Amino acid sequence: MSQYESRTTFESNRDPMAKVGYARVSSVGQSLDVQREKLGDCDKLFEEKRSGTTDARPQFKQCLDYVRDGDQLIVTRIDRLARSTLHLCQIAETLSKKGVDLVVLDQNIDTSDATGRLLFNMLGAIGQFETEIRAERQMDGIKKAKDRGVQFGKRPALTTDQIAELREKRKQGTLIRELMAEYSLSKATIYRYLAENNA
């Protein structure tokens, strides 16, 4: 029996409502065991080890293609499913058009009822709000660091004269942290310039 025939036979024998699970971790080194255990009652389980921020999630695409009217798509947490509130809304719309309900176990969401849909939308909005707050704090931190004179990006290489000057100051007892501040270099870079002198 071919793979297509096997799948066709399986789908024709499916219950009117299938429980379809999707489990994801962000990296190859992480384990899916906890999610597998929670999704143990699913009729079919799609798994992958990929970041949620990437579009390249073939197992998730197959999962969306697989589910049909009357099915439930079950995940352990919302963040296993979508990379942003916009993406979450797009997935919810796709599922709604297909007549598929979404169940999120850890957050006790079931979009088959009004309360579940409300909670789903609220959690999505809160998640997006937290992401935007983190981004704002990061930008504030960068601005404050720049105001203190911290430079970002690749450090410019020192000229031959500057390297000689740096080495001479170190010989005279100038502290590493003082050299770092004066030349706007990291500790590792300062030590590299000093080590090259001894090579």
Side-chain angles (χ1 to χ4, degrees):
M1 180 181 291
S2 70
Q3 184 177 358
Y4 173 77
E5 291 171 333
S6 175
R7 178 178 175 182
T8 302
T9 302
F10 173 79
E11 291 188 355
S12 64
N13 293 330
R14 282 171 57 176
D15 293 331
M17 185 203 74
K19 294 182 177 181
V20 181
Y22 175 70
R24 181 186 63 80
V25 289
S26 299
S27 65
V28 175
Q30 294 178 304
S31 173
L32 286 160
D33 290 347
V34 173
Q35 292 180 65
R36 284 179 185 143
E37 183 177 349
K38 292 181 178 181
L39 298 169
D41 291 334
C42 291
D43 302 303
K44 187 169 180 64
L45 180 60
F46 292 85
E47 303 177 351
E48 63 193 338
K49 296 186 175 184
R50 287 175 181 265
S51 169
T53 60
T54 179
D55 291 326
R57 291 195 289 164
Q59 287 299 308
F60 182 62
K61 185 178 185 305
Q62 287 185 34
C63 179
L64 288 183
D65 290 341
Y66 180 84
V67 290
R68 65 181 185 184
D69 188 18
D71 287 351
Q72 285 184 332
L73 174 58
I74 305 175
V75 295
T76 56
R77 293 180 54 84
I78 282 181
D79 60 7
R80 301 300 86 198
L81 192 66
R83 60 182 180 271
S84 67
T85 299
L86 175 60
H87 187 216
L88 190 64
C89 292
Q90 291 170 341
I91 292 170
E93 184 177 359
T94 298
L95 294 175
S96 178
K97 287 179 178 178
K98 297 189 74 170
V100 176
D101 291 319
L102 175 65
V103 176
V104 186
L105 299 177
D106 290 358
Q107 288 145 322
N108 198 27
I109 296 172
D110 184 343
T111 61
S112 64
D113 61 56
T115 302
R117 287 191 293 274
L118 175 62
L119 185 55
F120 173 77
N121 290 330
M122 287 175 61
L123 285 175
I126 290 170
Q128 181 65 21
F129 174 73
E130 290 175 343
T131 298
E132 291 174 359
I133 288 295
R134 282 196 298 270
E136 287 180 7
R137 286 175 178 167
Q138 183 179 25
M139 293 304 296
D140 286 344
I142 291 173
K143 183 180 182 302
K144 288 177 181 176
K146 286 182 176 179
D147 290 344
R148 294 196 306 271
V150 176
Q151 297 181 12
F152 292 88
K154 186 176 180 180
R155 303 296 188 195
L158 298 185
T159 65
T160 303
D161 289 343
Q162 287 176 317
I163 294 171
E165 181 185 64
L166 180 150
R167 291 168 178 167
E168 184 60 32
K169 287 183 177 181
R170 179 58 178 162
K171 284 180 183 178
Q172 294 174 2
T174 304
L175 298 176
I176 294 294
R177 65 171 178 270
E178 293 174 353
L179 293 174
M180 290 167 59
E182 182 176 350
Y183 293 96
S184 297
L185 296 172
S186 68
K187 182 186 291 186
T189 304
I190 293 289
Y191 278 116
R192 178 167 57 81
Y193 279 126
L194 295 174
E196 287 172 356
N197 189 40
N198 298 323

